[in-house]
Amino acid sequence: MKTAFAHWENRIAPVFDTARRICVVESESGRIVRQTQETLPAELPVRKALRLMDLGIGVLVCGAISRPIHGLVAAYGIRVVPFVAGDLQEVIRAWLGGTLECGAFAMPGCFGRKGRRFGGRNENDPEEYAMKPGGRGMGGGRGQGRGQGGGRGQGPGGMRGGRMGGPRASGPAGFCVCPQCGKKEPHERGIPCVERKCPECGTLMARE
């Protein structure tokens, strides 16, 4: 089995969305057979997912990850183990020893493993964010609206009530784009782009 560990300066990268380096560990019966360093593309998120698939990755171990990219990676059959923090080699040893998910390497204030909910939302909804710092959610937390109707909330800890500029930060409008042929289709509310196939070539689409 091949496991990818997203890292930065010998530690697990705090946010997978911007990570460029992964340590790929091929293991058998809890022992490392091969270990290599690989680079992820900086283009569309779907390119990262395709790169992981091309490398034959079965599991991705990472820090915080946005729900759209989490859903995209999972759509390619890759299991995601998010919200991990710590020294890269220590995390690898814990993974091989089966103790990684016991809590010692969990990011402070984050949760979501073993089927628990992310930020109070359904873990399987790929267009919501999968980050919950401070145990109160990001964006979905207790916003304090201003004015009548459309005031933006100020979440706990000084974070804005939006979704950190994610694909849904500007609302339901926008397009789904095919990373292969460039075909664009209007985004349909309630239907994640990562679940739609390009009508031209059949490739899974991504949110523009």
Side-chain angles (χ1 to χ4, degrees), residues 19-175:
R20 295 291 310 281
R21 299 287 295 172
I22 56 172
C23 177
V24 179
V25 175
E26 187 172 356
S27 61
E28 290 182 3
S29 302
R31 299 182 62 182
I32 297 177
V33 176
R34 188 182 181 200
Q35 184 171 321
T36 60
Q37 296 289 332
E38 303 290 346
T39 301
L40 296 176
E43 297 91 19
L44 289 171
V46 71
R47 297 290 184 185
K48 282 190 173 185
L50 288 171
R51 175 62 172 158
L52 293 172
M53 185 180 68
D54 289 342
L55 290 170
I57 302 301
V59 179
L60 168 66
V61 177
C62 60
I65 180 172
S66 66
R67 197 170 291 277
I69 297 182
H70 179 281
L72 183 61
V73 172
Y76 283 93
I78 300 171
R79 177 191 169 199
V80 180
V81 180
F83 309 115
V84 174
D87 177 83
L88 175 62
Q89 295 305 319
E90 290 181 2
V91 168
I92 292 175
R93 286 193 293 270
W95 172 254
L96 295 175
T99 61
L100 180 60
E101 297 183 88
C102 67
F105 294 94
M107 293 185 71
C110 294
F111 70 98
R113 299 181 191 151
K114 296 181 183 287
R116 285 182 286 178
R117 294 167 66 82
F118 292 137
R121 293 181 172 82
N122 191 326
E123 176 182 354
N124 297 317
D125 179 358
E127 289 209 335
E128 295 290 350
Y129 263 78
M131 291 185 284
K132 183 180 174 67
R136 293 185 179 177
M138 182 165 291
R142 302 176 302 173
Q144 298 176 0
R146 295 182 179 179
Q148 295 183 350
R152 290 195 64 182
Q154 183 76 23
M159 301 303 296
R160 300 290 295 178
R163 292 187 175 91
M164 292 182 64
R168 291 184 67 188
S170 58
F175 292 88

